[in-house]
Structures are given as C-alpha cells and as structure tokens.
Amino acid sequence: MKLFLDTANVEQVAEIAQWGVLDGVTTNPSLVAKEGKDFKETVLAMCTHVPNVSAQVTATDFDGMKAQADEYSGWHKHVVVKVPMTVEGLKTLSYCKKKGIRTNTTLVFSVNQAILAAKAGATIISPFIGRIDDLGQDGMDLIAEIMQAWNNYNFDTEVLVASTRHPRHIADAAQLGAHICTIPYSVFTKLPMHILTDKGLDQFQKDWELVRKKK
Ligand code: E4P
C-alpha cells in the first residue's frame, strides 16, 4: 500500500519523507490557496522529496485542461496531473494516456465514475470518503464497491482513498486492498502513536536505569 501526504506544505512533506514511508503527495487548489505560495515552486520542491506529486488542473474545458496537463507534466517527471471527474476530464484523461502523462482523477463519488475514469486511462482514481461521511453516509462503502468491481475486471488504474479524516480510515482502506491512501499531516503524525508503545518504552527506560545504577 502506498501512503501519500495530502498537503501543499513543503515542510510537512520534507518531514514525513524522512520517515522512509512516503510515496507521494496530493495537492489541490484549496490546499495551495491555504499555503499562499507559488504553485509551480511548491510542486517542484515536493518533487525533490517524493516520486509522485499530484498537481490539479484549474481549467474546466478540454482544451484548457489539455494545455495545463502538457505544461505541468513538463515541469518534472514526478508530476501526476490531477483532473476532475467530468466529461471534459474524461477526454483529458484519454489524451494524457495517449501522451504517456500520468493522471489522478479527483472528486470521484460513485463506482460508475470510477469505471469511466479507469476506462479513459486514468493512472489513479481518487474517491473522497470523508466528504461522503460528512453527509452521514459511510464513505468506506464506496471503496468496498470499487475494489469489488476492480476484482471483477483487470483495471490497471490504482484506487487512492482520499479525504481521509482519521487513522481508522487508513487501516480500513488497507483491509479492502486499496492501492493508495492520501492522508492529511494531522492524521499522518498520529499513525506511529500508540499509548501502549509509550507506556512500554517508559517502563523499559525506568528498568534500564535500575540496571545502570547497579553497575
Ligand atoms: C485528495 O486528493 C484531496 O486533496 C483531499 O483528500 C480532499 O480532502 P478533503 O475532503 O478533506 O478536502
């Protein structure tokens, strides 16, 4: 399972990349706006830390998306062009597939959207589970349905679980065999934590102090 950081903050990427577990980053226009930094510089800086950096197109028509896909993919070989799940987006995915440009389809909320994006040639699809949870439904059900469809056919497209909100989302996505999870910094930094690890280490330290004092 690949783990991505869902952020436009380069310092966060640099920090988590040092753990040796980070496979990529997903950015989106809202995350970029929050940081207030230059988009291209941000993407290029992230590309020095990880081999996959999703950069989202902001055009909504095919010609505009195509031009941005060409531009972003020329910035660095680690760039993955993020394309919204629309009809214009499908055309863009197909164009990118033919040109060998890697893509991530964003804002996927149904199995049918997932299938269309995969057939159009998406490298990655991103179902947003947290936003479904926010409606009072279970976003993880969508991942289960997509993984079942993926088991029935031979789609090469990787399923990225997006809009994760807490550590249980990542464990559940792994149980379902999702290929990738993208995780906000506040959740990522909780993943190594366990109260019993802290308690156990504290006890080991205290006991070792007793051994040291006996010498
Ligand atoms: C994924 O690529 C998106 O950037 C992200 O996961 C959206 O998460 P949100 O629903 O918390 O905004």
Coordinates of all heavy atoms in Angstrom, one line a residue, residues 6 26-28 31 82 104 106 126 128 131 162-165 182, ligand 1:
D6 N -1.5 14.5 2.0 CA -2.5 15.4 1.4 C -2.2 16.8 1.9 O -2.7 17.3 2.9 CB -3.9 14.9 1.8 CG -5.0 15.5 0.9 OD1 -4.7 15.8 -0.2 OD2 -6.1 15.5 1.4
T26 N -0.5 14.6 -2.6 CA -1.7 15.2 -3.4 C -1.9 16.6 -2.9 O -2.0 16.9 -1.7 CB -2.9 14.3 -3.1 OG1 -3.2 14.2 -1.7 CG2 -2.9 13.0 -3.8
T27 N -1.9 17.5 -3.9 CA -2.3 18.9 -3.6 C -3.6 19.1 -4.3 O -4.1 18.3 -5.2 CB -1.3 19.9 -4.2 OG1 -1.3 19.8 -5.7 CG2 0.1 19.5 -3.7
N28 N -4.3 20.2 -3.9 CA -5.5 20.6 -4.7 C -5.5 22.2 -4.5 O -4.8 22.7 -3.7 CB -6.8 19.9 -4.2 CG -7.1 20.3 -2.7 OD1 -7.0 21.4 -2.3 ND2 -7.6 19.3 -2.0
L31 N -5.8 23.5 -0.9 CA -4.6 23.4 -0.1 C -3.5 24.4 -0.6 O -2.8 24.9 0.3 CB -4.1 21.9 -0.3 CG -4.9 20.8 0.3 CD1 -4.4 19.4 -0.1 CD2 -5.0 20.9 1.9
K82 N -3.6 16.1 -12.0 CA -4.9 15.8 -11.4 C -6.0 16.4 -12.2 O -6.0 17.6 -12.5 CB -4.8 16.4 -10.0 CG -5.7 15.6 -9.0 CD -5.5 16.3 -7.6 CE -6.1 15.5 -6.5 NZ -6.0 16.3 -5.2
N104 N -4.3 11.6 -12.1 CA -5.1 11.3 -10.9 C -6.5 11.9 -11.1 O -6.5 13.1 -11.2 CB -4.3 11.8 -9.7 CG -5.1 11.6 -8.4 OD1 -6.2 11.1 -8.4 ND2 -4.5 12.1 -7.3
T106 N -9.8 13.2 -9.8 CA -10.2 13.7 -8.5 C -11.7 13.9 -8.4 O -12.4 13.9 -9.5 CB -9.5 15.0 -8.1 OG1 -9.8 15.3 -6.7 CG2 -9.9 16.2 -9.0
S126 N -9.4 8.9 -7.4 CA -9.5 9.4 -6.0 C -10.9 9.5 -5.5 O -11.5 10.6 -5.7 CB -8.8 10.7 -5.8 OG -7.4 10.6 -6.0
F128 N -13.4 10.3 -2.7 CA -13.3 11.1 -1.5 C -14.2 10.6 -0.4 O -15.4 10.8 -0.4 CB -13.8 12.5 -1.8 CG -12.8 13.4 -2.5 CD1 -11.8 12.9 -3.4 CD2 -12.8 14.8 -2.2 CE1 -10.9 13.8 -4.0 CE2 -11.9 15.6 -2.8 CZ -10.9 15.1 -3.7
R131 N -15.8 13.2 2.6 CA -16.9 14.1 2.3 C -18.2 13.3 2.2 O -19.3 13.9 2.4 CB -16.6 14.8 0.9 CG -15.4 15.7 1.1 CD -15.3 16.6 -0.1 NE -14.0 17.3 -0.1 CZ -13.6 18.3 -0.9 NH1 -14.4 18.7 -1.9 NH2 -12.4 18.8 -0.8
A162 N -9.1 9.0 -0.8 CA -8.8 10.5 -0.5 C -9.8 11.0 0.5 O -10.8 10.3 0.8 CB -8.9 11.3 -1.8
S163 N -9.6 12.2 1.0 CA -10.4 12.8 2.0 C -10.5 11.9 3.3 O -11.6 11.8 3.8 CB -11.8 13.0 1.4 OG -12.7 13.7 2.2
T164 N -9.4 11.4 3.7 CA -9.3 10.7 4.9 C -9.3 11.6 6.1 O -8.8 12.7 6.0 CB -8.1 9.7 5.0 OG1 -6.9 10.5 4.8 CG2 -8.1 8.7 3.9
R165 N -9.9 11.2 7.2 CA -10.1 12.1 8.3 C -9.5 11.6 9.6 O -9.4 12.4 10.6 CB -11.6 12.4 8.6 CG -12.4 12.9 7.4 CD -12.5 14.4 7.5 NE -13.6 14.9 6.6 CZ -13.4 15.4 5.4 NH1 -12.2 15.4 4.9 NH2 -14.4 15.9 4.7
T182 N -4.3 8.8 0.7 CA -3.7 10.2 0.9 C -4.2 10.7 2.2 O -5.4 10.5 2.6 CB -3.9 11.1 -0.2 OG1 -3.0 12.3 0.0 CG2 -5.3 11.6 -0.4
Ligands
E4P1 C1 -7.3 14.4 -2.5 O1 -6.6 14.4 -3.4 C2 -7.9 15.7 -1.9 O2 -6.9 16.7 -2.0 C3 -8.3 15.6 -0.5 O3 -8.1 14.3 0.0 C4 -9.6 16.2 -0.2 O4 -9.8 16.1 1.2 P1 -10.9 16.9 2.0 O5 -12.2 16.3 1.7 O6 -10.5 16.8 3.4 O7 -10.8 18.3 1.5

